[in-house]
Amino acid sequence: MNSNAIRQSQIMRPCSRGLQLRYKSTKPVLDKKRALPPLSPRTRDFLARLIRVDQAGELGADLIYSGQHAVFKRTKPDLAPLIAHMWEQEVHHHKTFNELQATHRVRPSVFSPLWNVAAYGLGVGTALLGKEAAMACTLAVETVIGGHYNNQLRELLEMIELEAKQAEDGQTSDELRKLAKLISQFRDDELEHLDTAVENDAEKARPYMLLTETIKGGCRAAVWTAERF
Amino acid sequence: MSSGRFSKAAIRAATQLTNSPRLYHSLTHLPPSPYTATQIRIFNSALNHVPDHGFVKDSLVLGCRDQGYLDSTHAVFHNGVFDLIQYHLYNERTRLASLKEVIDLEENSPHDKARRYCIERLKANQPFIERWPEALAVMGLPSNISSSVKELAELSDEIWYLSGDKSSDFDWYTRRASLSAVYSTTELYMTQDNSPDFNNTWQFLDRQLANVANLKTTLGSTSTWVAFTGMASLNLLKSQLARG
Ligand SMILES: [Fe+2]
Ligand SMILES: [Fe+2]
C-alpha cells in the first residue's frame, strides 16, 4: 500500500505541512467547578489504550531512526541529514505522547524496555544492511503506523460525536478534538516519511520485500501488544 | 522483613496497576464518583463512631441511625465494615488533591512532595490509630486482599501524579511499587508508635524512603523485569479474556 492509498481512506483533511502543533494542556489539574460531566468508561478505556500504544509506537520510531542515524553518520554521511530530519519529527511525536501519558495518567506499556531494545536494534540492523534495507524498514513501519493513526482517528471522531450526543446540552470539551487534530498532524508526518522512503527507491529493492513484510507483521504484533499491555 | 519479601510485595502492588484498567484522566470532564450523597453521609457518621466502637458492624449501624435510617439499612453494604474502610481509603486518597497548591509552594522536589503527601495521608488515620490494626486485619482477609492491594496501588499513583512525576517508561512501575512498599510498612509502624506527634513514624518514613534507592536497583534488574512483566502480562491476559 502506498501513501496515496492511505490518503484516499483518510477522514480528515491534512493540516498544512510544516506547522508543528504543540500540545499544551489547558490546566495542570482538573478545575472541578468548570468541569463537564464524566466521560463514559468506554471512551476513557479507548483513550487510555490510544495514548499507551501511540507512546510505545513513537518511542519505537524515535529509536529506529536514532539507530539508523548512528550507522549512516559513519557509513553514508550524505544520507544522515535525511534520516536526521525524520528522526527530529519522531522525537517531537515521542515527547508529545510522553506528555499526554503523564497528564492523562495513562500507564505506559509494561514492555517499554523491550520496545527500546527491539526498535534500536531494528534501526541499527537495517542501516547496516544498507540504504535500501533502511528505506524498506521505513516503508514498512510508516505504512503500518499511518494506517494505524487513520483507524484511531476514525474511532476517535466517532467517540467525540457520541459524547456530544450523550451530553445534556450537546456540550463537549475541546480536549478530545485537540487530540484528534494532533493525531491527524502526526499521521501526515508519518505519510511524509513514507513518501521519503518511496522516493529513495525502497520499493526498487525487490529482495527486500520479504524484509518489508516481516517488519510490517512485527509492527502489527507490537501495536496489538502495546495497546493491551 | 527480608528484602526479597519486600520487593515481592512491591511487585505485587505494581502489577495491580496493570490489573485495574487505568482509565484516561480528563482535564475537562469530572471523574465519576463511586458513592452517592446518602452513602457519603452514612459513612462519615459511621467513621465518627470508630474511635469508640472500632471497625465493626456497630459503627456502621450507628452511622445509619445518625442519618435517620433504620438500623437494618447497614445491610445494603454487602461487604459490611470493609465497605466503610474502602470509603475511608477512597475519601482520604482523593482529598490529597486539595493539598496540591500548598504542597507545591512548600516543597521543592517530587521526592519531597511525595514524602509530604505520605505524611498528610498517614495523619488521616490518626483519629482512630488504635483501631487501625482492626482495619488492616479486615483488609488482609482473602476476599478483600485484591481490592486492598489495588487501593494501595491507586494511592501511590495518586501521590506520584500530584508530586509531578513524569516517568514514561518502566520507571513508572518501579516508582509506584516502591512507594506502595514504603507507605504500607510505615502505616503499620504508625499503629505501634507512642512517640509525641508520631515523630518516630516520620523518621521511620524517611529511612524507608532512603531505602527506596536500593529497591529501585533491585526492581531495575533484568530478572526482576522478566518476573514482573510475566506477572503483569498474566493479569492483563486474564482481564482481556474476561473482556472478550
Ligand atoms: Fe511518529
Ligand atoms: Fe514516522
Side-chain angles (χ1 to χ4, degrees), chain A residues 57-58 61 89-90 93-94 142 145 149 186 189-190 193:
Chain A
E58 296 298 353
Q89 285 180 318
E90 300 299 359
H93 296 175
H94 184 197
E142 304 292 0
I145 299 301
Y149 271 145
F186 286 6
D189 290 346
E190 312 303 5
H193 301 165

Side-chain angles (χ1 to χ4, degrees), chain B residues 97-117:
Chain B
S98 66
L99 306 172
K100 185 167 168 52
E101 230 168 285
V102 177
I103 292 181
D104 277 349
L105 273 176
E106 294 179 1
E107 311 288 345
N108 282 317
S109 69
H111 179 274
D112 289 347
K113 287 177 191 171
R115 176 184 171 273
R116 251 307 272 289
Y117 283 113

Side-chain angles (χ1 to χ4, degrees), chain A residues 1-218:
Chain A
M1 181 143 96
N2 60 27
S3 67
N4 277 334
I6 292 180
R7 263 192 209 104
Q8 272 158 20
S9 68
Q10 79 189 16
I11 19 85
M12 262 194 134
R13 299 184 54 156
C15 300
S16 61
R17 289 262 167 88
L19 174 107
Q20 291 271 305
L21 190 75
R22 293 236 162 248
Y23 184 87
K24 268 264 180 279
S25 41
T26 36
K27 279 203 177 64
V29 186
L30 176 76
D31 178 358
K32 286 207 170 160
K33 275 177 219 129
R34 293 168 59 192
L36 295 162
L39 292 168
S40 71
R42 196 172 150 243
T43 301
R44 293 178 68 213
D45 183 41
F46 167 77
L47 292 170
R49 283 162 173 251
L50 180 147
I51 291 176
R52 176 164 48 254
V53 68
D54 291 353
Q55 180 189 35
E58 296 298 353
L59 161 78
D62 182 350
L63 285 166
I64 287 172
Y65 287 114
S66 145
Q68 291 188 344
H69 191 260
V71 173
F72 286 139
K73 209 170 50 189
R74 290 196 191 84
T75 59
K76 294 195 166 60
D78 52 316
L79 205 57
L82 184 75
I83 303 289
H85 171 70
M86 297 195 282
W87 182 20
E88 254 169 52
Q89 285 180 318
E90 300 299 359
V91 168
H92 169 68
H93 296 175
H94 184 197
K95 274 190 188 157
T96 308
F97 272 106
N98 282 350
E99 189 67 35
L100 284 166
Q101 176 254 317
T103 310
H104 297 294
R105 309 183 65 169
V106 176
R107 65 171 178 83
S109 168
V110 283
F111 288 111
S112 52
L114 190 65
W115 306 143
N116 248 302
V117 179
Y120 193 76
L122 187 61
V124 170
T126 50
L128 284 175
L129 287 172
K131 181 189 165 189
E132 286 81 11
M135 289 301 160
C137 169
T138 301
L139 179 82
V141 173
E142 304 292 0
T143 305
V144 174
I145 299 301
H148 164 75
Y149 271 145
N150 256 345
N151 291 341
Q152 276 191 340
L153 205 49
R154 194 177 305 117
E155 273 192 81
L156 182 56
L157 293 177
E158 275 169 23
M159 289 272 174
I160 292 172
E161 226 171 84
L162 210 72
E163 287 292 335
K165 254 184 220 161
Q166 280 166 0
E168 279 166 32
D169 44 3
Q171 209 193 352
T172 49
S173 71
D174 59 353
E175 190 177 279
L176 303 191
R177 273 188 295 275
K178 267 190 206 160
L179 185 63
K181 211 172 148 193
L182 186 87
I183 289 175
S184 81
Q185 160 94 57
F186 286 6
R187 188 261 331 262
D188 290 345
D189 290 346
E190 312 303 5
L191 294 182
E192 194 186 297
H193 301 165
L194 184 55
D195 288 342
T196 306
V198 173
E199 280 158 24
N200 282 275
D201 305 338
E203 277 167 324
K204 262 190 202 163
R206 290 288 301 171
Y208 294 103
M209 280 311 288
L210 193 62
L211 179 65
T212 313
E213 289 310 310
T214 308
I215 296 174
K216 273 187 196 168

Side-chain angles (χ1 to χ4, degrees), chain B residues 164-210:
Chain B
D165 172 48
K166 295 247 187 251
S167 49
S168 58
D169 48 20
F170 199 65
D171 219 23
W172 189 93
Y173 293 94
T174 51
R175 277 176 189 237
R176 277 150 186 79
S178 11
L179 194 65
S180 297
V182 168
Y183 181 84
S184 55
T185 44
T186 312
E187 182 184 49
L188 194 61
Y189 182 93
M190 191 183 176
T191 62
Q192 317 283 320
D193 182 8
N194 295 314
S195 66
D197 295 328
F198 296 97
N199 274 326
N200 290 350
T201 300
W202 316 137
Q203 279 169 21
F204 180 83
L205 174 67
D206 285 339
R207 281 200 302 279
Q208 296 294 305
L209 285 170

